[in-house]
Amino acid sequence: MIKKQNVGVLDTAIRSIVGVVCLAIAAKGLFSLSVSVTFLVIGVLIWITCSLGVCLIYKALNIDTYLGAGHGLTQWYPKT
């Protein structure tokens, strides 16, 4: 069963950039090991959500910014 996407195009672009920046900071080792691991985990989670197009936090809050939902790229329409 394919899950319905809820992450829009603009969200995906922003998440991709933030995810890559977090992964780069983790790889560069600018901070202590624990902070670098935190950046690594955050970067991987963000990258997974933008790759799959599904955000569990959005699902919990009934937010859907996916264009296929029938509205604009960044508009928020609570599900009724």
Side-chain angles (χ1 to χ4, degrees):
M1 174 194 261
I2 298 175
K3 293 186 177 187
K4 182 179 174 286
Q5 293 182 332
N6 65 353
V7 178
V9 175
L10 184 59
D11 284 341
T12 300
I14 293 170
R15 288 169 189 257
S16 296
I17 293 168
V18 172
V20 168
V21 168
C22 286
L23 292 173
I25 290 172
K28 190 69 174 171
L30 299 174
F31 301 102
S32 66
L33 181 62
S34 60
V35 174
S36 294
V37 170
T38 302
F39 274 112
L40 177 69
V41 170
I42 291 170
V44 168
L45 290 175
I46 291 173
W47 191 259
I48 288 171
T49 61
C50 75
S51 297
L52 297 177
V54 177
C55 178
L56 297 177
I57 295 172
Y58 276 13
K59 283 195 180 286
L61 298 174
N62 289 326
I63 298 173
D64 193 345
T65 61
Y66 183 63
L67 184 61
H71 51 76
L73 295 176
T74 59
Q75 296 171 341
W76 173 59
Y77 291 95
K79 297 174 186 173
T80 55

